[in-house]
Short mmCIF file of all heavy atoms in Angstrom, two decimals:
data_model
loop_
_atom_site.label_atom_id
_atom_site.label_comp_id
_atom_site.label_asym_id
_atom_site.label_seq_id
_atom_site.Cartn_x
_atom_site.Cartn_y
_atom_site.Cartn_z
N VAL A 710 4.80 -5.16 -2.79
CA VAL A 710 4.16 -6.36 -2.37
C VAL A 710 2.84 -6.07 -1.78
O VAL A 710 1.82 -6.83 -1.93
CB VAL A 710 5.03 -7.16 -1.31
CG1 VAL A 710 4.27 -8.27 -0.57
CG2 VAL A 710 6.22 -7.77 -2.04
N GLU A 711 2.66 -4.98 -1.08
CA GLU A 711 1.35 -4.62 -0.41
C GLU A 711 0.39 -4.19 -1.56
O GLU A 711 -0.87 -4.40 -1.17
CB GLU A 711 1.47 -3.54 0.68
CG GLU A 711 2.30 -4.08 1.88
CD GLU A 711 2.08 -3.35 3.05
OE1 GLU A 711 1.75 -2.13 3.15
OE2 GLU A 711 2.35 -3.93 4.10
N ILE A 712 0.83 -3.80 -2.53
CA ILE A 712 -0.23 -3.47 -3.75
C ILE A 712 -0.64 -4.76 -4.29
O ILE A 712 -1.81 -4.97 -4.50
CB ILE A 712 0.57 -2.58 -4.86
CG1 ILE A 712 0.72 -1.14 -4.24
CG2 ILE A 712 -0.31 -2.54 -6.10
CD1 ILE A 712 1.59 -0.25 -5.09
N LEU A 713 0.24 -5.71 -4.36
CA LEU A 713 -0.02 -7.02 -4.99
C LEU A 713 -0.96 -7.75 -3.98
O LEU A 713 -1.88 -8.56 -4.33
CB LEU A 713 1.10 -7.98 -5.12
CG LEU A 713 2.18 -7.31 -6.08
CD1 LEU A 713 3.28 -8.45 -6.45
CD2 LEU A 713 1.60 -6.85 -7.42
N GLU A 714 -0.93 -7.55 -2.71
CA GLU A 714 -1.72 -8.20 -1.68
C GLU A 714 -3.06 -7.64 -1.59
O GLU A 714 -3.87 -8.07 -0.83
CB GLU A 714 -1.05 -8.25 -0.24
CG GLU A 714 0.29 -9.04 -0.13
CD GLU A 714 1.09 -8.66 0.96
OE1 GLU A 714 0.99 -7.56 1.59
OE2 GLU A 714 2.04 -9.42 1.40
N GLY A 715 -3.23 -6.38 -2.16
CA GLY A 715 -4.49 -5.70 -2.16
C GLY A 715 -4.64 -4.66 -1.00
O GLY A 715 -5.77 -4.28 -0.73
N PHE A 716 -3.49 -4.40 -0.28
CA PHE A 716 -3.64 -3.56 0.87
C PHE A 716 -3.52 -2.09 0.47
O PHE A 716 -4.08 -1.23 1.18
CB PHE A 716 -2.44 -3.80 1.84
CG PHE A 716 -2.62 -5.00 2.73
CD1 PHE A 716 -1.69 -6.00 2.78
CD2 PHE A 716 -3.75 -5.13 3.47
CE1 PHE A 716 -1.80 -7.04 3.63
CE2 PHE A 716 -3.99 -6.15 4.18
CZ PHE A 716 -2.91 -7.12 4.34
N ARG A 717 -2.82 -1.86 -0.62
CA ARG A 717 -2.65 -0.37 -1.16
C ARG A 717 -3.28 -0.22 -2.44
O ARG A 717 -3.11 -1.13 -3.34
CB ARG A 717 -1.18 -0.05 -1.11
CG ARG A 717 -0.54 0.09 0.26
CD ARG A 717 0.93 0.17 0.17
NE ARG A 717 1.49 -0.03 1.45
CZ ARG A 717 1.45 0.90 2.41
NH1 ARG A 717 1.02 2.05 2.23
NH2 ARG A 717 2.06 0.62 3.55
N ALA A 718 -3.60 0.88 -2.75
CA ALA A 718 -4.05 1.37 -4.11
C ALA A 718 -2.80 1.77 -4.88
O ALA A 718 -1.86 2.41 -4.34
CB ALA A 718 -5.08 2.48 -4.09
N ARG A 719 -2.71 1.50 -6.17
CA ARG A 719 -1.62 1.97 -6.95
C ARG A 719 -1.99 3.30 -7.67
O ARG A 719 -3.20 3.58 -7.84
CB ARG A 719 -1.17 0.92 -7.97
CG ARG A 719 -2.27 0.53 -8.92
CD ARG A 719 -1.84 -0.67 -9.79
NE ARG A 719 -2.83 -0.94 -10.92
CZ ARG A 719 -3.79 -1.86 -10.71
NH1 ARG A 719 -3.99 -2.42 -9.54
NH2 ARG A 719 -4.61 -2.19 -11.68
N ASP A 720 -0.92 4.02 -8.12
CA ASP A 720 -1.19 5.20 -8.84
C ASP A 720 -1.31 4.90 -10.39
O ASP A 720 -2.13 5.41 -11.12
CB ASP A 720 -0.09 6.28 -8.63
CG ASP A 720 0.03 6.69 -7.23
OD1 ASP A 720 -1.03 6.66 -6.55
OD2 ASP A 720 1.13 7.10 -6.86
N ASP A 721 -0.53 3.92 -10.73
CA ASP A 721 -0.47 3.62 -12.08
C ASP A 721 0.02 2.29 -12.47
O ASP A 721 0.78 1.72 -11.69
CB ASP A 721 0.25 4.71 -13.01
CG ASP A 721 -0.03 4.66 -14.42
OD1 ASP A 721 -1.08 4.10 -14.85
OD2 ASP A 721 0.82 5.28 -15.21
N GLY A 722 -0.27 1.67 -13.54
CA GLY A 722 0.31 0.38 -13.99
C GLY A 722 -0.78 -0.72 -13.99
O GLY A 722 -1.87 -0.51 -13.53
N GLU A 723 -0.31 -1.87 -14.39
CA GLU A 723 -1.22 -2.94 -14.74
C GLU A 723 -0.79 -4.05 -13.65
O GLU A 723 0.41 -4.41 -13.63
CB GLU A 723 -1.02 -3.33 -16.02
CG GLU A 723 -1.89 -4.57 -16.49
CD GLU A 723 -1.36 -5.08 -17.83
OE1 GLU A 723 -1.06 -4.18 -18.74
OE2 GLU A 723 -1.34 -6.24 -18.08
N VAL A 724 -1.68 -4.60 -12.87
CA VAL A 724 -1.37 -5.59 -11.98
C VAL A 724 -2.39 -6.70 -12.00
O VAL A 724 -3.57 -6.55 -11.87
CB VAL A 724 -1.39 -5.01 -10.45
CG1 VAL A 724 -1.10 -6.15 -9.46
CG2 VAL A 724 -0.40 -3.92 -10.35
N LEU A 725 -1.84 -7.91 -12.20
CA LEU A 725 -2.74 -9.09 -12.14
C LEU A 725 -2.09 -10.08 -11.16
O LEU A 725 -0.97 -10.48 -11.25
CB LEU A 725 -2.89 -9.86 -13.54
CG LEU A 725 -3.77 -9.14 -14.45
CD1 LEU A 725 -3.78 -9.92 -15.86
CD2 LEU A 725 -5.29 -9.11 -14.05
N VAL A 726 -2.85 -10.51 -10.26
CA VAL A 726 -2.46 -11.56 -9.15
C VAL A 726 -3.43 -12.66 -9.22
O VAL A 726 -4.65 -12.55 -8.97
CB VAL A 726 -2.27 -10.98 -7.80
CG1 VAL A 726 -1.89 -12.04 -6.81
CG2 VAL A 726 -1.34 -9.87 -7.71
N LEU A 727 -2.90 -13.92 -9.69
CA LEU A 727 -3.81 -14.97 -9.91
C LEU A 727 -4.98 -14.64 -10.76
O LEU A 727 -6.09 -15.00 -10.63
CB LEU A 727 -4.43 -15.52 -8.52
CG LEU A 727 -3.33 -16.06 -7.64
CD1 LEU A 727 -4.08 -16.47 -6.26
CD2 LEU A 727 -2.56 -17.13 -8.16
N GLY A 728 -4.63 -13.80 -11.80
CA GLY A 728 -5.53 -13.42 -12.90
C GLY A 728 -6.59 -12.33 -12.55
O GLY A 728 -7.42 -11.98 -13.24
N GLU A 729 -6.44 -11.76 -11.31
CA GLU A 729 -7.38 -10.70 -10.86
C GLU A 729 -6.64 -9.45 -10.48
O GLU A 729 -5.46 -9.50 -9.99
CB GLU A 729 -8.30 -11.12 -9.76
CG GLU A 729 -9.20 -12.31 -10.24
CD GLU A 729 -10.23 -12.61 -9.12
OE1 GLU A 729 -10.69 -11.69 -8.46
OE2 GLU A 729 -10.52 -13.88 -9.02
N ASP A 730 -7.32 -8.30 -10.50
CA ASP A 730 -6.66 -7.09 -10.10
C ASP A 730 -6.93 -7.03 -8.50
O ASP A 730 -8.07 -6.97 -8.14
CB ASP A 730 -7.54 -5.92 -10.64
CG ASP A 730 -6.86 -4.54 -10.21
OD1 ASP A 730 -6.07 -4.44 -9.23
OD2 ASP A 730 -7.27 -3.57 -10.98
N PRO A 731 -5.80 -6.99 -7.75
CA PRO A 731 -5.94 -6.92 -6.26
C PRO A 731 -6.82 -5.84 -5.73
O PRO A 731 -7.48 -6.08 -4.66
CB PRO A 731 -4.59 -6.90 -5.78
CG PRO A 731 -3.69 -7.25 -7.00
CD PRO A 731 -4.34 -6.96 -8.11
N ALA A 732 -6.81 -4.79 -6.54
CA ALA A 732 -7.57 -3.61 -6.06
C ALA A 732 -9.12 -3.84 -5.96
O ALA A 732 -9.85 -3.18 -5.25
CB ALA A 732 -7.23 -2.35 -6.84
N ARG A 733 -9.50 -4.98 -6.77
CA ARG A 733 -10.89 -5.20 -6.91
C ARG A 733 -11.23 -6.59 -6.41
O ARG A 733 -12.28 -7.24 -6.82
CB ARG A 733 -11.39 -4.97 -8.28
CG ARG A 733 -11.65 -3.48 -8.64
CD ARG A 733 -12.43 -3.44 -10.00
NE ARG A 733 -11.70 -3.85 -11.18
CZ ARG A 733 -10.79 -3.16 -11.74
NH1 ARG A 733 -10.60 -1.92 -11.50
NH2 ARG A 733 -10.15 -3.60 -12.85
N ALA A 734 -10.27 -7.08 -5.57
CA ALA A 734 -10.43 -8.63 -5.38
C ALA A 734 -11.51 -8.82 -4.28
O ALA A 734 -11.68 -7.94 -3.56
CB ALA A 734 -9.01 -9.22 -4.97
N ASP A 735 -11.99 -9.99 -4.34
CA ASP A 735 -13.02 -10.38 -3.29
C ASP A 735 -12.59 -11.41 -2.32
O ASP A 735 -11.35 -11.87 -2.43
CB ASP A 735 -14.37 -10.80 -4.13
CG ASP A 735 -13.93 -11.93 -5.10
OD1 ASP A 735 -12.82 -12.41 -5.11
OD2 ASP A 735 -14.92 -12.52 -5.85
N ARG A 736 -13.42 -12.03 -1.57
CA ARG A 736 -13.15 -13.06 -0.67
C ARG A 736 -12.58 -14.25 -1.33
O ARG A 736 -11.61 -14.84 -0.80
CB ARG A 736 -14.31 -13.41 0.17
CG ARG A 736 -14.77 -12.42 1.20
CD ARG A 736 -15.99 -12.98 1.87
NE ARG A 736 -15.84 -14.09 2.73
CZ ARG A 736 -16.70 -14.97 3.22
NH1 ARG A 736 -17.99 -14.79 2.82
NH2 ARG A 736 -16.31 -16.01 3.91
N ALA A 737 -13.15 -14.71 -2.45
CA ALA A 737 -12.74 -15.87 -3.04
C ALA A 737 -11.23 -15.73 -3.46
O ALA A 737 -10.45 -16.62 -3.46
CB ALA A 737 -13.55 -16.09 -4.31
N TRP A 738 -10.79 -14.51 -3.88
CA TRP A 738 -9.50 -14.28 -4.28
C TRP A 738 -8.49 -14.34 -3.03
O TRP A 738 -7.48 -15.00 -3.16
CB TRP A 738 -9.24 -12.80 -5.06
CG TRP A 738 -7.98 -12.51 -5.36
CD1 TRP A 738 -7.29 -12.94 -6.52
CD2 TRP A 738 -7.02 -11.56 -4.77
NE1 TRP A 738 -6.05 -12.31 -6.49
CE2 TRP A 738 -5.87 -11.56 -5.44
CE3 TRP A 738 -7.05 -11.02 -3.45
CZ2 TRP A 738 -4.67 -10.85 -4.90
CZ3 TRP A 738 -6.04 -10.22 -3.01
CH2 TRP A 738 -4.88 -10.13 -3.85
N ARG A 739 -9.02 -13.71 -1.97
CA ARG A 739 -8.17 -13.81 -0.77
C ARG A 739 -8.00 -15.17 -0.23
O ARG A 739 -7.00 -15.41 0.41
CB ARG A 739 -8.82 -12.94 0.35
CG ARG A 739 -8.88 -11.49 0.01
CD ARG A 739 -9.02 -10.46 1.18
NE ARG A 739 -8.82 -9.16 0.84
CZ ARG A 739 -7.78 -8.56 0.66
NH1 ARG A 739 -6.64 -9.24 0.87
NH2 ARG A 739 -7.72 -7.30 0.24
N ALA A 740 -8.90 -16.03 -0.53
CA ALA A 740 -8.76 -17.45 -0.07
C ALA A 740 -7.72 -18.11 -0.92
O ALA A 740 -7.24 -19.12 -0.47
CB ALA A 740 -10.19 -18.26 -0.28
N ARG A 741 -7.30 -17.53 -2.03
CA ARG A 741 -6.21 -18.28 -2.73
C ARG A 741 -4.85 -17.57 -2.57
O ARG A 741 -3.96 -18.22 -3.25
CB ARG A 741 -6.66 -18.06 -4.25
CG ARG A 741 -7.97 -18.63 -4.65
CD ARG A 741 -8.47 -18.30 -6.03
NE ARG A 741 -7.53 -18.68 -7.07
CZ ARG A 741 -7.57 -17.93 -8.21
NH1 ARG A 741 -8.19 -16.95 -8.48
NH2 ARG A 741 -6.60 -18.32 -9.14
N ILE A 742 -4.81 -16.66 -1.85
CA ILE A 742 -3.41 -16.12 -1.45
C ILE A 742 -3.10 -16.23 -0.06
O ILE A 742 -4.12 -16.35 0.81
CB ILE A 742 -3.29 -14.61 -1.87
CG1 ILE A 742 -4.17 -13.70 -0.90
CG2 ILE A 742 -3.54 -14.36 -3.27
CD1 ILE A 742 -3.70 -12.22 -0.98
N GLY A 743 -1.85 -16.30 0.26
CA GLY A 743 -1.46 -16.34 1.73
C GLY A 743 -0.49 -15.18 2.10
O GLY A 743 0.35 -14.90 1.06
N VAL A 744 -0.66 -14.42 3.06
CA VAL A 744 0.16 -13.30 3.39
C VAL A 744 0.84 -13.49 4.68
O VAL A 744 0.26 -13.81 5.69
CB VAL A 744 -0.75 -11.99 3.38
CG1 VAL A 744 0.08 -10.82 3.83
CG2 VAL A 744 -1.35 -11.80 2.01
N VAL A 745 2.23 -13.34 4.67
CA VAL A 745 2.96 -13.20 5.98
C VAL A 745 3.49 -11.87 6.03
O VAL A 745 4.35 -11.50 5.27
CB VAL A 745 3.98 -14.27 6.00
CG1 VAL A 745 4.89 -14.08 7.22
CG2 VAL A 745 3.37 -15.70 5.96
N LEU A 746 2.99 -10.97 6.93
CA LEU A 746 3.36 -9.58 6.99
C LEU A 746 4.65 -9.48 7.63
O LEU A 746 5.21 -10.43 8.21
CB LEU A 746 2.31 -8.83 7.72
CG LEU A 746 0.96 -8.81 6.98
CD1 LEU A 746 -0.15 -8.39 8.04
CD2 LEU A 746 0.97 -7.85 5.80
N GLN A 747 5.17 -8.25 7.56
CA GLN A 747 6.50 -7.94 8.26
C GLN A 747 6.31 -8.28 9.78
O GLN A 747 6.10 -9.37 10.12
CB GLN A 747 6.85 -6.61 8.03
CG GLN A 747 7.93 -6.47 6.82
CD GLN A 747 8.50 -5.05 6.57
OE1 GLN A 747 8.78 -4.46 7.55
NE2 GLN A 747 8.61 -4.82 5.39
N ASP A 748 6.67 -7.37 10.65
CA ASP A 748 6.57 -7.77 12.13
C ASP A 748 5.13 -8.13 12.53
O ASP A 748 4.20 -7.68 12.00
CB ASP A 748 7.03 -6.63 12.83
CG ASP A 748 6.14 -5.37 12.92
OD1 ASP A 748 5.63 -5.08 11.68
OD2 ASP A 748 5.84 -4.80 13.84
N SER A 749 5.00 -8.88 13.61
CA SER A 749 3.66 -9.19 14.11
C SER A 749 3.81 -9.36 15.58
O SER A 749 4.88 -9.86 16.11
CB SER A 749 3.13 -10.59 13.51
OG SER A 749 3.86 -11.58 13.88
N ARG A 750 2.91 -8.74 16.34
CA ARG A 750 2.92 -8.83 17.78
C ARG A 750 1.48 -8.71 18.27
O ARG A 750 1.26 -8.28 19.34
CB ARG A 750 3.77 -7.61 18.27
CG ARG A 750 3.25 -6.23 17.77
CD ARG A 750 4.33 -5.14 17.93
NE ARG A 750 3.78 -4.00 17.08
CZ ARG A 750 3.04 -2.97 17.56
NH1 ARG A 750 2.59 -3.08 18.72
NH2 ARG A 750 2.72 -2.10 16.75
N ASP A 751 0.61 -9.35 17.46
CA ASP A 751 -0.77 -9.22 17.82
C ASP A 751 -1.19 -10.61 18.37
O ASP A 751 -0.54 -11.47 18.57
CB ASP A 751 -1.77 -8.89 16.48
CG ASP A 751 -1.42 -9.82 15.33
OD1 ASP A 751 -0.25 -10.41 15.39
OD2 ASP A 751 -2.26 -10.04 14.60
N LEU A 752 -2.45 -10.59 18.89
CA LEU A 752 -3.16 -11.79 19.36
C LEU A 752 -2.36 -12.47 20.61
O LEU A 752 -2.55 -13.63 20.72
CB LEU A 752 -3.17 -12.90 18.28
CG LEU A 752 -3.90 -12.39 16.94
CD1 LEU A 752 -3.64 -13.47 15.93
CD2 LEU A 752 -5.25 -12.15 17.05
N GLY A 753 -1.79 -11.61 21.45
CA GLY A 753 -0.90 -12.14 22.52
C GLY A 753 -1.56 -13.17 23.44
O GLY A 753 -0.90 -13.93 23.87
N GLU A 754 -2.85 -12.98 23.68
CA GLU A 754 -3.49 -13.72 24.79
C GLU A 754 -4.07 -15.07 24.31
O GLU A 754 -4.57 -15.85 25.02
CB GLU A 754 -4.62 -12.95 25.41
CG GLU A 754 -4.16 -11.67 26.25
CD GLU A 754 -3.13 -11.95 27.15
OE1 GLU A 754 -3.18 -13.06 27.80
OE2 GLU A 754 -2.30 -11.04 27.56
N LEU A 755 -4.02 -15.28 22.96
CA LEU A 755 -4.57 -16.57 22.46
C LEU A 755 -3.34 -17.48 22.35
O LEU A 755 -2.19 -17.22 22.26
CB LEU A 755 -5.18 -16.33 21.06
CG LEU A 755 -6.44 -15.24 21.16
CD1 LEU A 755 -6.85 -15.01 19.72
CD2 LEU A 755 -7.59 -16.01 21.84
N THR A 756 -3.83 -18.80 22.31
CA THR A 756 -2.81 -19.81 22.10
C THR A 756 -2.50 -20.11 20.57
O THR A 756 -3.42 -19.82 19.80
CB THR A 756 -3.11 -21.16 22.80
OG1 THR A 756 -4.28 -21.83 22.14
CG2 THR A 756 -3.58 -20.91 24.28
N VAL A 757 -1.43 -20.84 20.38
CA VAL A 757 -1.12 -21.16 18.89
C VAL A 757 -2.21 -22.00 18.43
O VAL A 757 -2.65 -21.63 17.16
CB VAL A 757 0.19 -22.07 18.97
CG1 VAL A 757 0.49 -22.75 17.61
CG2 VAL A 757 1.41 -21.16 19.36
N GLY A 758 -2.77 -22.99 18.99
CA GLY A 758 -3.83 -23.80 18.60
C GLY A 758 -5.06 -23.03 18.14
O GLY A 758 -5.76 -23.16 17.14
N GLU A 759 -5.38 -22.05 19.13
CA GLU A 759 -6.73 -21.38 18.96
C GLU A 759 -6.59 -20.37 17.67
O GLU A 759 -7.50 -20.39 16.97
CB GLU A 759 -6.91 -20.45 20.17
CG GLU A 759 -7.33 -21.20 21.44
CD GLU A 759 -7.24 -20.39 22.68
OE1 GLU A 759 -6.69 -19.34 22.78
OE2 GLU A 759 -7.87 -20.90 23.67
N VAL A 760 -5.39 -19.84 17.58
CA VAL A 760 -5.19 -18.91 16.49
C VAL A 760 -5.21 -19.62 15.16
O VAL A 760 -5.97 -19.26 14.16
CB VAL A 760 -3.86 -18.14 16.59
CG1 VAL A 760 -3.58 -17.26 15.33
CG2 VAL A 760 -3.96 -17.09 17.88
N VAL A 761 -4.56 -20.79 15.07
CA VAL A 761 -4.58 -21.55 13.73
C VAL A 761 -5.93 -22.00 13.49
O VAL A 761 -6.52 -21.98 12.36
CB VAL A 761 -3.47 -22.63 13.90
CG1 VAL A 761 -3.63 -23.54 12.64
CG2 VAL A 761 -2.08 -22.15 14.09
N ARG A 762 -6.58 -22.56 14.46
CA ARG A 762 -7.99 -23.10 14.25
C ARG A 762 -8.92 -21.98 13.90
O ARG A 762 -9.79 -22.13 12.85
CB ARG A 762 -8.51 -23.79 15.52
CG ARG A 762 -7.89 -25.24 15.66
CD ARG A 762 -8.69 -25.97 16.70
NE ARG A 762 -8.71 -25.33 18.03
CZ ARG A 762 -7.67 -25.57 18.92
NH1 ARG A 762 -6.63 -26.43 18.67
NH2 ARG A 762 -7.58 -25.03 20.11
#
Side-chain angles (χ1 to χ4, degrees):
Chain A
V710 168
E711 291 199 340
I712 290 169
L713 302 189
E714 291 164 345
F716 281 130
R717 286 174 197 280
R719 59 186 186 269
D720 295 336
D721 196 17
E723 182 191 320
V724 177
L725 283 179
V726 176
L727 299 177
E729 295 189 38
D730 181 348
R733 284 193 292 276
D735 56 2
R736 286 179 67 199
W738 179 83
R739 293 201 175 277
R741 297 166 64 205
I742 67 164
V744 173
V745 176
L746 295 165
Q747 262 182 44
D748 66 315
S749 64
R750 54 200 168 85
D751 53 335
L752 309 169
E754 298 300 335
L755 297 169
T756 69
V757 169
E759 287 169 344
V760 169
V761 175
R762 282 194 296 275

